[in-house]
Amino acid sequence: MERLIDRHGRVATDLRVSLTDRCNLRCTYCMPPEGLDWMPTEEQLTDAEVVRLVGVAAAHLGVEEVRFTGGEPLVRRGLVDIVAQVHAAHPGLELSMTTNGLGLARTATALAEAGLHRVNVSLDTVRRDTFTELTRRDRLDDVVAGLAAADAAGLGPIKVNAVLIRGVNDDQAPELLAWCLERGYELRFIEQMPLDAQHGWQRDEMVTADEILASLQARFDLSPAVEPRGSAPAELFRVEGGPATVGVIASVTRPFCGDCDRVRLTADGQVRNCLFAREESDLRAALRAGATDAELAERWRAAVIGKAPGHGIDDPTFLQPGRPMSAIGG
Ligand code: SAM
Ligand code: SF4
């Protein structure tokens, strides 16, 4: 099989599929309080189109893992059906989802039965007032219930993603880790990236990986868990000798672009090689014009060849991408 190889020799085997740009939270580092101008429905891939493109990636391009994301994937009505169809057609494909957890308590069992393997749930704090400040919604209890339901449904190991914001929750890293350790969830901190719709990100305001580690080390003994980390973005540390681990995804201060194995499909059917890419390749138009699976695969390969060597956040010429994280698929 001819895989998705770029001219720097990287092979994309991990596909991130955004199912919607909509969301029921308003995380301050992601979008403004009023939300965004959502994508018109006719521009969004239908359920059948999503299933077809994921199938092309699996059958023709060597993609091994698919992660559904958004926006909030749980607000996509056809989610369980999409998972079920993809799983039935490609049972060997690893299927996961990144979600804010709202509504997961209701859907976790159905998702597991449909063939979803794992979830990452985003949770930046376990304090109700901080949660409400960060997400602009008083929904902490729903996320906590969603996590427990996902665990009970077998969607583990459960991973928790957290972003620290200076002056809001940057003093809460050890508390969040203790909470996750008690429940057996694997916590990963993600450095805040310049992907917010409001373009408010500032390098010197960002809580760095070094700061996160220092704050955790004040309470926990951490030792490197896996070396080298390969294509996995998280640097993992054993907590108190293990087996529990905590991860730090230092996308900004320690970029891992050289090992990247990812490719993205937006909710409107555009291939993106990187969160920070400034170009996209339209698969939806070809799909709707009647392209065969082999033709779609060929377009997809051509789109990946030109993947940039790195995200360039530290370059003086860096420009934030036109689409925010929620519209690309985080
Ligand atoms: N709504 C789902 C969620 O929150 O998990 C999926 C989409 S969200 C865009 C995916 C992940 O990106 C979440 O873990 C979120 O915390 C993270 N994220 C959003 N904006 C970010 C930013 N500016 N920098 C770093 N991570 C960000
Ligand atoms: Fe929604 Fe996820 Fe963005 Fe928060 S980070 S506003 S949950 S898309």
Side-chain angles (χ1 to χ4, degrees), residues 107-289:
T107 46
T109 303
L111 284 166
E113 285 171 3
L116 193 74
H117 295 107
R118 285 177 298 107
V119 290
N120 281 37
V121 177
S122 302
L123 180 63
D124 306 323
T125 173
V126 286
R127 290 190 207 168
R128 188 168 170 186
D129 53 346
T130 312
F131 185 93
T132 307
E133 181 181 356
L134 268 176
T135 66
R136 304 188 180 103
R137 301 285 187 272
D138 184 7
R139 305 291 299 272
L140 175 63
D141 293 348
D142 299 80
V143 182
V144 171
L147 275 160
D151 203 11
L155 291 171
I158 303 287
K159 293 187 182 161
V160 171
N161 293 350
V163 178
L164 294 181
I165 302 298
R166 199 174 296 287
V168 182
N169 64 338
D170 57 333
D171 57 341
Q172 296 180 26
E175 172 182 330
L176 186 57
L177 177 55
W179 190 89
C180 288
L181 290 173
E182 262 171 46
R183 291 160 181 79
Y185 306 154
E186 292 178 20
L187 176 63
R188 274 117 215 277
F189 290 95
I190 311 173
E191 277 181 345
Q192 189 194 359
M193 296 180 276
L195 286 168
D196 57 311
Q198 315 86 297
H199 291 223
W201 181 90
Q202 287 179 333
R203 178 84 153 83
D204 48 5
E205 275 296 302
M206 180 191 80
V207 181
T208 65
D210 285 346
E211 286 178 86
I212 297 166
L213 286 169
S215 142
L216 292 173
Q217 276 159 337
R219 176 150 160 204
F220 297 96
D221 174 51
L222 302 184
S223 50
V226 194
E227 275 198 88
R229 72 180 173 199
S231 62
E235 281 179 73
L236 288 183
F237 298 86
R238 252 183 261 288
V239 185
E240 309 293 356
T245 58
V246 63
V248 179
I249 303 180
S251 322
V252 180
T253 59
R254 287 176 228 157
F256 34 84
C257 306
D259 293 318
C260 181
D261 62 357
R262 252 163 257 173
V263 62
R264 291 166 194 278
L265 183 66
T266 63
D268 54 352
Q270 312 294 307
V271 174
R272 280 183 80 97
N273 286 321
C274 176
L275 281 169
F276 298 96
R278 304 199 54 80
E279 283 167 17
E280 300 181 339
S281 305
D282 190 2
L283 286 186
R284 186 192 61 195
L287 178 73
R288 291 187 179 169

Side-chain angles (χ1 to χ4, degrees), residues 29-30 69-72 98-100 122 161 163 191-193 325 330:
Y29 50 78
C30 185
T69 180
E72 176 44 49
T98 300
T99 171
N100 64 25
S122 302
N161 293 350
V163 178
E191 277 181 345
Q192 189 194 359
M193 296 180 276
M325 176 89 128

Side-chain angles (χ1 to χ4, degrees), residues 22-27 29-31 70-72 100 122 135 326:
R22 289 166 200 247
C23 191
N24 40 16
L25 292 183
R26 295 285 183 273
C27 304
Y29 50 78
C30 185
M31 57 173 83
E72 176 44 49
N100 64 25
S122 302
T135 66
S326 57

